[in-house]
Amino acid sequence: MFDLICLGHAALDRVYSIAAFPPEPTKLRATQAMEVGGGMAATAAVAAARLGGRVAFWGRVGDDAAGAAVRDGLVAEGIDVRGLRTCQGAVTSTSAVIVDAAGERMIVTHLGEGLDDDPAGLPWPMLAQARAVLVDVRWPAGSLALLRAARAAGVPGVLDVGMMAGAALAELLDATDHAVFSRPGLAEFAPGLPEPDGLAKARAAGAAVPGVTQGEHGYLWLDPAGRARRQPAFAVRAVDTTGAGDAFHGAYALGVARGLEVADCARQGAGAAALKCTRPGTRAGLPDGAALSAFLAERAAAV
C-alpha cells in the first residue's frame, strides 16, 4: 500500500545564499551554494516520505544529468519512482534559487523542454494501492487524469495551486477534494477578491475544501459547510523559506491519506513548514515524523 501518490513538477534546484538583495541589477558573491532536488510535487513527496509516509512519485524528466540527479534524489528518500518518466531528448526542469540572510527568496524556474505530456503510460494499477493523491499544476494533463481516476476509485485528491496554473485550473478544481492555494496562486485565480471570497469562488468551482497558505499568517480554509477556519503559523527563526509551501502540502496530504480531520492536517502542515524554514536548502530542513511530533507537542504545551 501507498499512503500517497504525488504527481507533477520535478526539478533540480541550484540554491545560492546572499547577504541581501541589491536595489538594482549587479554582480554578487554567494556565501553558500548547493544543488538539490526541487519541484512542487517532488518536494512535497519528500516531505511526506520524511514523515514516515509510503510515497510514490509520478512525473517527467529529461535524459540529462539534471534528470538523473532528480531521480537519484527521490530514490535516496525511499520514494517509489516507477512513475517517473525519462523523456528521450528532453531537458529537465531547473531552478535558480536566491536566498537572502532573512530567509526570503527569489526563484527563476525553467520548466524544461520536450517533456512528454501524455499520461497514458503511467503505472495506473498503483492507484488501487493508494490512500490519497497529491498533484500540482505544472503537468495539467497528468494531474487531471490522476484526480479523475482517484475520484472514480474513491481516493481523496489534493491539488497544489501555485502561480501560472493556466486554463486547466477550472477542470482541476472540479476534479479535486482539497485545493491548497499559495497566496499568489489564489490572487491569480480570484484577482481583486479578499482571500475568503477567493476561496468561496474555488469552492463554487468544485473544490470541497479550499484553503490558502499565508506565510507568517498561517493557513486559511473553508470547511465543508463553507465556514472560514484558520491555523496560525508557528513562529520560528527563518533561515530559508524555500520549499516551505511544499512541506505544508506534503504533510497536509499525508494527513488526508491517514484520515485526519482538516484542522489536524493543517496543523501538521504548518509545523512541517515552520521546521523547514529553520534550515537552508529546499529539502534540508524537512522534518521526520519524530521531530514534527516533538515540535507540535512542545507548541501545544506552551499554549
Side-chain angles (χ1 to χ4, degrees), residues 31-51:
T31 58
Q32 185 179 19
M34 66 180 73
E35 190 172 83
V36 64
M40 298 162 66
T43 301
V46 173
R50 293 267 181 96
L51 293 174

Side-chain angles (χ1 to χ4, degrees), residues 29-227:
R29 184 183 296 274
T31 58
Q32 185 179 19
M34 66 180 73
E35 190 172 83
V36 64
M40 298 162 66
T43 301
V46 173
R50 293 267 181 96
L51 293 174
R54 292 160 294 181
V55 182
F57 179 76
W58 296 0
R60 307 165 297 166
V61 294
D63 58 343
D64 50 16
V70 167
R71 181 180 294 273
D72 290 346
L74 293 171
V75 170
E77 299 286 348
I79 294 171
D80 186 298
V81 295
R82 282 176 286 173
L84 178 57
R85 180 182 301 163
T86 298
C87 304
Q88 300 302 309
V91 176
T92 300
S93 177
T94 55
S95 297
V97 184
I98 316 299
V99 184
D100 72 4
E104 294 300 324
R105 82 280 194 263
M106 179 176 69
I107 303 176
V108 180
T109 297
H110 179 257
L111 293 178
E113 298 174 8
L115 299 173
D116 184 1
D117 198 48
D118 186 359
L122 290 170
W124 291 106
M126 291 173 62
L127 181 57
Q129 305 176 53
R131 293 192 169 96
V133 302
L134 167 67
V135 306
D136 64 32
V137 295
R138 294 289 176 259
W139 184 13
S143 294
L144 186 59
L146 181 54
L147 286 175
R148 286 176 171 170
R151 176 162 290 178
V155 175
V158 181
L159 172 64
D160 173 358
V161 191
M163 296 179 67
M164 301 179 290
L169 182 54
E171 288 184 293
L172 291 169
L173 288 171
D174 186 54
T176 196
D177 302 298
H178 302 255
V180 183
F181 287 81
S182 67
R183 272 190 140 167
L186 184 59
E188 279 190 351
F189 171 70
L193 290 181
E195 288 178 340
D197 293 341
L199 295 179
K201 180 180 176 181
R203 190 166 184 267
V209 187
V212 57
T213 54
Q214 300 177 312
E216 63 184 12
H217 300 294
Y219 183 62
L220 175 70
W221 80 95
L222 301 184
D223 66 18
R227 297 170 299 211

